[in-house]
């Protein structure tokens, strides 16, 4: 196979960086979808997108080199290139996850089911003829507000539509790939298929000793790697060292979890005849840790006080998934309520990654976390969801 030949054409650095961020995050979602549903077509699309990332990486490096004449200009773009390189590393990790499917590595069914119930998950659903989605645009449906789920890709016959916008009209037979909070999965699935969502039940594999423990580690690693990426982009968007240090702490914790999982695999390998059923678990753990490492490298631009070029902020802000922060006023109707009561994820489609409360931070808040006056919420999700969160938090006129 001959290496791909790149041809230079003038491109905007900000647009390239935004596209690299969006594409790498889409690849991670599709890679997990491919693995959960054993879908080789989706896995192959991830590898196709990996080729696209290589092209984007070439263009952003060329654009950066051609846009500088002085040392200070070159130094100003160091942070841009570091973030771009991290997006490329995240894309490579997504490619590694996709290869679990293409290379038929062993992944226990227990793990696939558990990943569907992770903090943020992916779901696949086919639009039925009677579905309210058929014939309507995504803008009309506002699925992120109605279900808390966000359509990231559509398979129509043999074609794929990535990052569909509000003008995209859905058709009967479209296969939707959506991401969001696990509470929104039943709502989304029933809306698309007109059938009730029934979680898959499995018989536990007694061959693998302490499999539940390994599954818990893998799910935690997935959740933490995604949290790390979101916090890393928050750190550079708001130039916040506290958040950057938390990304560093998460990266260290991910290392420990990977070592613990490796030990479990080595111990378990003594009791199984075919060790191939363990390969996928190791491969997935390494990919999750690679995503966390890339997130740390993004946050490192803040910790090492590398000049944050305005292009980085603009690129992050202009991406498909926005990151926002919101101060909760004393008069806000959400004060005193828990996340479980508010159902923020399903009502707004936004995922709250962190809360700043006085001089301390609460990361990955749980359902029983009570929102207090003065809390600063850091959340990520769609632009429509951002507006819904602002509306939910704002003080009422009669107050």
């Amino acid at each position: 196979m001959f290496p791909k030949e790149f041809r230079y054409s003038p491109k905007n650095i900000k647009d390239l960086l935004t596209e690299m961020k969006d594409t790498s995050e889409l690849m991670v979602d599709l890679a997990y979808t491919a693995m959960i549903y054993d879908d080789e077509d989706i896995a192959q699309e991830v590898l196709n997108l990996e080729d696209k990332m290589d092209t984007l990486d070439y263009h952003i490096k060329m654009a950066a080199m051609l846009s500088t004449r002085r040392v200070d200009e070159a130094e100003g773009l160091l942070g841009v290139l570091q973030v771009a390189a991290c997006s490329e590393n995240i894309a490579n990790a997504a490619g590694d996850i996709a290869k679990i499917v293409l290379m038929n590595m062993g992944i226990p069914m227990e793990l696939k089911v558990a990943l569907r119930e992770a903090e943020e998950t992916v779901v696949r659903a086919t639009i039925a003829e009677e579905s309210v989605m058929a014939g309507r645009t995504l803008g009309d449906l506002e699925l992120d507000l109605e279900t808390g789920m966000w359509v990231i890709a559509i398979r129509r016959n043999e074609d794929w539509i990535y990052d569909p916008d509000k003008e995209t009209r859905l058709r009967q037979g479209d296969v939707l790939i959506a991401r969001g909070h696990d509470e929104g999965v039943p709502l989304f699935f029933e809306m698309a298929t007109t059938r009730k969502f029934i979680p898959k039940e499995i018989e536990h594999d007694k061959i693998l000793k302490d499999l539940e423990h390994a599954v818990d580690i893998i799910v935690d690693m997935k959740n933490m790697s995604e949290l790390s990426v979101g916090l890393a982009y928050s750190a550079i968007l708001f130039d916040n060292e506290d958040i950057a240090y938390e990304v560093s702490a998460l990266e260290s914790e991910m290392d420990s979890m990977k070592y613990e999982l490796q030990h479990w695999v080595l111990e378990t390998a003594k009791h199984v005849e075919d060790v191939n059923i363990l390969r996928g678990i190791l491969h997935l753990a390494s990919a999750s840790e690679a995503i966390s490492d890339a997130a740390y490298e993004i946050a490192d631009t803040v910790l090492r006080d590398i000049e944050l070029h305005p292009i980085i902020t603009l690129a992050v802000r202009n991406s498909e998934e926005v990151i926002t922060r919101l101060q909760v006023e004393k008069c806000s109707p959400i004060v005193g309520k828990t996340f479980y009561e508010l159902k923020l994820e399903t009502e707004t489609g936004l995922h709250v990654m962190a809360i700043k409360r006085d001089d301390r931070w609460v990361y990955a808040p749980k359902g029983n976390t009570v929102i207090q006056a003065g809390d600063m919420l850091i959340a990520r999700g769609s632009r429509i969801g951002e507006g819904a969160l602002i509306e939910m938090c704002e003080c009422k006129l009669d107050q």
Side-chain angles (χ1 to χ4, degrees):
M1 183 176 180
F2 294 100
K4 184 176 180 180
E5 181 179 348
F6 298 114
R7 292 185 181 277
Y8 172 74
S9 59
K11 294 183 182 293
N12 182 281
I13 294 180
K14 174 183 71 66
D15 293 341
L16 286 167
L17 190 61
T18 298
E19 192 170 1
M20 291 185 76
K21 176 182 180 295
D22 288 341
T23 303
S24 64
E25 292 173 346
L26 171 64
M27 287 175 66
V28 172
D29 291 330
L30 289 178
Y32 276 112
T33 304
M35 189 194 66
I36 290 171
Y37 294 102
D38 281 323
D39 195 312
E40 291 190 5
D41 290 336
I42 297 178
Q44 187 57 54
E45 286 300 318
V46 174
L47 299 190
N48 294 341
L49 287 172
E50 197 170 4
D51 290 339
K52 175 185 175 181
M53 282 293 291
D54 291 340
T55 303
L56 292 171
D57 185 55
Y58 162 79
H59 281 296
I60 200 168
K61 287 175 180 175
M62 288 292 293
M65 287 187 287
L66 291 172
S67 65
T68 60
R69 286 193 174 92
R70 302 191 310 270
V71 172
D72 60 316
E73 291 177 342
E75 288 180 338
L77 288 175
L78 276 177
V80 174
L81 291 177
Q82 182 160 330
V83 173
C86 294
S87 294
E88 171 77 359
N89 290 340
I90 291 172
N92 292 337
D96 287 339
I97 295 173
K99 288 172 185 173
I100 293 175
V101 178
L102 296 174
M103 298 176 67
N104 293 316
M105 297 185 192
I107 287 289
M109 181 55 70
E110 287 91 337
L111 178 54
K112 295 176 184 179
V113 172
L115 287 172
R116 298 184 194 184
E117 300 170 357
E119 288 181 6
E120 282 191 282
T121 188
V122 288
V123 64
R124 180 177 64 179
T126 303
I127 297 180
E129 182 179 1
E130 305 82 9
S131 171
V132 295
M133 293 185 182
R136 298 179 65 186
T137 66
L138 289 174
D140 291 336
L141 292 168
E142 294 188 335
L143 293 172
D144 42 357
L145 300 185
E146 294 295 326
T147 67
M149 303 298 291
W150 182 9
V151 177
I152 58 172
I154 303 170
R155 184 174 183 182
R156 181 169 293 165
N157 299 322
E158 299 301 319
D159 298 322
W160 283 91
I161 302 171
Y162 298 115
D163 285 337
D165 58 28
K166 63 181 181 181
E167 302 300 328
T168 303
R169 191 172 298 277
L170 304 180
R171 302 177 186 173
Q172 175 194 349
D174 281 351
V175 179
L176 308 182
I177 308 295
R179 66 170 290 189
H181 197 272
D182 64 321
E183 291 180 359
V185 170
L187 299 173
F188 180 86
F189 186 86
E190 187 170 348
M191 196 172 177
T193 66
T194 70
R195 292 184 287 110
K196 187 175 181 181
F197 177 77
I198 302 175
K200 188 166 186 177
E201 295 185 5
I202 57 171
E203 295 182 5
H204 290 284
D205 189 348
K206 295 181 173 59
I207 297 176
L208 298 180
K209 184 180 178 182
D210 296 329
L211 178 59
E212 289 183 6
H213 178 59
V215 167
D216 289 342
I217 294 175
I218 287 286
V219 173
D220 284 345
M221 290 184 76
K222 176 185 182 291
N223 291 337
M224 288 175 61
S225 64
E226 293 175 344
L227 174 63
S228 295
V229 172
L231 290 179
Y233 282 120
S234 302
I236 59 175
L237 184 61
F238 306 124
D239 195 14
N240 190 299
E241 285 193 2
D242 289 341
I243 300 177
Y245 276 118
E246 179 62 21
V247 176
S248 176
L250 287 173
E251 194 270 336
S252 297
E253 190 171 347
M254 285 284 285
D255 287 341
S256 299
M257 294 173 76
K258 188 180 80 167
Y259 299 146
E260 183 180 356
L261 191 69
Q262 288 173 337
H263 182 269
W264 176 86
V265 169
L266 291 172
E267 284 290 324
T268 305
K270 296 185 295 186
H271 307 288
V272 297
E273 293 183 5
D274 183 8
V275 295
N276 282 325
I277 63 176
L278 302 173
R279 289 173 60 209
I281 294 177
L282 278 178
H283 206 73
L284 184 57
S286 295
S288 296
E289 200 239 347
I291 293 173
S292 179
D293 289 343
Y296 170 71
E297 290 297 324
I298 293 173
D300 187 54
T301 58
V302 177
L303 296 177
R304 290 200 291 133
D305 203 24
I306 296 174
E307 182 180 350
L308 294 176
H309 197 285
I311 286 176
I312 300 177
T313 302
L314 290 171
V316 173
R317 187 60 193 166
N318 289 342
S319 67
E320 292 288 335
E321 183 178 70
V322 299
I323 295 175
T324 187
R325 61 179 173 182
L326 184 67
Q327 184 87 34
V328 179
E329 302 295 338
K330 186 177 181 180
C331 56
S332 173
I334 71 171
V335 171
K337 295 183 178 179
T338 65
F339 277 87
Y340 179 79
E341 292 172 324
L342 292 169
K343 298 188 182 299
L344 283 177
E345 286 85 358
T346 52
E347 291 295 327
T348 68
L350 261 70
H351 177 67
V352 177
M353 301 179 289
I355 303 172
K356 185 176 184 183
R357 180 168 294 166
D358 298 323
D359 293 326
R360 66 187 183 89
W361 287 86
V362 178
Y363 295 101
K366 306 299 181 184
N368 60 358
T369 301
V370 179
I371 295 179
Q372 300 178 9
D375 281 353
M376 176 75 75
L377 308 182
I378 307 290
R380 59 186 172 94
S382 69
R383 295 185 186 280
I384 296 177
E386 181 182 34
L389 179 63
I390 293 172
E391 185 178 344
M392 180 182 282
C393 296
E394 66 185 5
C395 298
K396 306 305 178 185
L397 293 176
D398 57 356
Q399 291 180 299

